[in-house]
Amino acid sequence: MSFAELWRELEPLGRDPETAGYRRYSWTPADAECRTWFTRQAGRLGLTVEQDRNGNLWAWWGSRDAARQDAVVTGSHLDSVPDGGGYDGALGVASALAAVAELKAKNFNPERAVAIAVFTEEEGARFRVPCLGSRLMTGAIEPGAARGLSDDDGITLAAAMTAAGADPSLLGPDDDLLGRIGAFVELHVEQGRALAPMDAAIGVAEGIWPHGRWRFDFTGRADHAGTARLADRNDPMLPYASTVLAARRLAAEHGAVATFGKVIAKPGGANGVNSAVRAWLDARAPDDNVLQDTVATIRSAAEIPAKEHGVTLTVRQESYTPLVRFDEGLRDRVTGVLTAAGIAAPVLPTAAGHDAGFLAARIPTAMLFVRNPTGVSHSPAEHAGEADCEAGVHALALVLEDLAG
Ligand SMILES: [Zn+2]
């Protein structure tokens, strides 16, 4: 089973024909197609596939029950952001399957169980809390709160899971499963452009910047775009617009990044002043203090124009993920394996969140990055060259062989 063969089958699933972007939202038909694809491919490799209580898939090479704090796990996610790229998450899953195929082809016999995990709702594109599957598994979110999360159509996670044939009453921390894992290594397409100038196909993660999402609600008063005098308006769009610009300026001042990527204006008529603007701020920074400070100053900056326009502002934190430092021992071991094989693998920080960040709180965790020549991600333009993907598979196989041998 080659990487190219796996990729050809996975590539069309959940892709929008107009935008060429992916819409693989969790617990939708596209998600079900991806799950079926994974289960079939894992079955071809002779792996045993199960769905855990949180909807994550696990394909076991060797007995799950025999694993006692020593299973070697790799994998990533198959869901996408709206019109996302094909590599984010999917590359890690396809590479994991191809790496196991490579090890099986050379008759490697693992002494420790090896598993491939596919985490659900990593992007938070549907239920707005990223890494939901790994958060639930590690107890980082209360199961009742998770069940009540709803999508843009008001469908709760519980209802969506039930409709897809999963049981939401089982959601919650999975200490039994976590207790079987000795190491987790996630391979991921690089989201940024650090490897290309270094002429390296593979990188190793140092840690993950803290990041979070905040919902800004600007509430004004709906009015007529023609007859309402400018001075009489309470237009929530104006303080929102000032806040977008302030976020950009304040992020730059703090050495952070801040993005308003999603906004809903209501009622949204082209000839009316809106009554409300709801927008989501995504902010990330090198450490927790800088991030908190960045968001606090953006919030203060939003309050001034809100007051000026007679608009009320509320800000609610929807998710927060603190700084993650990956296990140094495992990182050195991974780097050592790659260096010994003649693969230069520089160590990089990242500002993107990953399931590995949640697992890192409980088990030694590492990440491999595969070069992204343009650095573009969360877009149909996201790309990794085929030779680099193959190099990633080989690097992952070497690491699994070392850890499970
Ligand atoms: Zn991802």
Side-chain angles (χ1 to χ4, degrees):
M1 179 188 292
S2 72
F3 173 81
E5 187 190 337
L6 284 161
W7 200 248
R8 258 195 311 277
E9 276 196 41
L10 176 60
E11 222 176 3
L13 307 184
R15 185 164 55 185
D16 184 79
E18 265 175 44
T19 63
Y22 288 88
R23 298 178 182 178
R24 292 172 176 162
Y25 307 138
S26 54
W27 306 112
T28 62
D31 181 55
E33 279 185 51
C34 291
R35 286 169 184 266
T36 303
W37 168 84
F38 175 75
T39 304
R40 195 174 59 241
Q41 301 304 338
R44 283 176 65 199
L45 287 169
L47 311 182
T48 311
V49 181
E50 60 181 25
Q51 187 166 299
D52 71 15
R53 56 192 300 173
N54 296 305
N56 308 309
L57 295 176
W58 296 78
W60 290 90
W61 180 8
S63 164
R64 168 200 199 273
D65 295 328
R68 294 267 175 272
Q69 290 184 302
D70 63 355
V72 176
V73 179
T74 183
S76 191
H77 61 96
L78 288 172
D79 66 318
S80 77
V81 296
D83 285 332
Y87 293 81
D88 183 349
L91 182 65
V93 176
S95 299
L97 289 164
V100 166
E102 182 176 322
L103 293 175
K104 288 212 162 197
K106 60 191 258 194
N107 293 319
F108 171 67
N109 217 334
E111 287 200 1
R112 299 159 68 180
V114 173
I116 303 173
V118 179
F119 290 100
T120 187
E121 184 73 356
E122 192 275 343
E123 300 288 5
R126 183 166 182 194
F127 296 102
R128 292 194 277 270
V129 176
C131 301
L132 191 54
S134 51
R135 257 180 228 266
L136 278 160
M137 182 183 180
T138 55
I141 183 170
E142 206 268 310
R147 275 190 284 272
L149 293 170
S150 62
D151 68 9
D152 284 346
D153 296 322
I155 299 169
T156 62
L157 174 67
M161 285 184 75
T162 306
D167 182 357
S169 72
L170 300 175
L171 291 178
D174 201 337
D175 289 340
D176 175 69
L177 184 50
L178 277 169
R180 296 179 190 278
I181 306 171
F184 177 64
V185 181
E186 179 171 1
L187 178 147
H188 204 280
V189 69
E190 183 188 14
Q191 295 173 291
R193 197 175 167 276
L195 291 173
M198 293 188 221
D199 203 23
I202 308 294
V204 176
E206 179 184 48
I208 302 178
W209 280 19
H211 54 279
R213 289 185 198 181
W214 290 263
R215 194 181 87 195
F216 283 58
D217 280 295
F218 298 90
T219 309
R221 193 184 69 239
D223 216 327
H224 192 291
T227 57
R229 291 193 325 145
L230 292 178
D232 293 339
R233 296 180 182 190
N234 303 116
D235 184 351
M237 196 60 97
L238 298 167
Y240 166 63
S242 302
T243 307
V244 174
L245 298 174
R248 165 70 181 233
R249 176 174 51 80
L250 292 164
E253 281 175 16
H254 284 83
V257 288
T259 309
F260 278 98
K262 176 169 178 172
V263 55
I264 300 170
K266 287 200 167 161
N271 57 354
V273 174
N274 283 300
S275 59
V277 170
R278 174 171 286 183
W280 283 264
L281 171 72
D282 175 305
R284 307 169 192 230
D287 70 53
D288 291 290
N289 288 338
V290 173
L291 179 54
Q292 297 294 357
D293 194 41
T294 305
V295 174
T297 53
I298 293 172
R299 187 182 179 147
S300 306
E303 272 156 9
I304 299 161
K307 202 167 175 199
E308 188 185 320
H309 293 282
V311 167
T312 56
L313 169 66
T314 58
V315 180
R316 199 176 138 237
Q317 181 176 288
E318 284 198 339
S319 70
Y320 188 80
T321 311
L323 175 73
V324 173
R325 283 183 218 284
F326 289 120
D327 187 87
E328 269 181 50
L330 183 60
R331 184 173 70 221
D332 290 348
R333 188 160 168 183
V334 166
T335 313
V337 168
L338 299 181
T339 309
I343 302 167
V347 175
L348 314 166
T350 176
H354 299 286
D355 294 305
F358 283 88
L359 293 184
R362 301 289 296 273
I363 40 186
T365 297
M367 286 191 79
L368 296 177
F369 293 123
V370 172
R371 171 167 53 193
N372 177 340
T374 63
V376 174
S377 186
H378 285 185
S379 145
E382 177 183 270
H383 185 70
E386 197 172 323
D388 286 355
C389 293
E390 301 279 2
V393 170
H394 183 57
L396 182 60
L398 289 171
V399 169
L400 297 179
E401 186 176 13
D402 178 68
L403 295 175

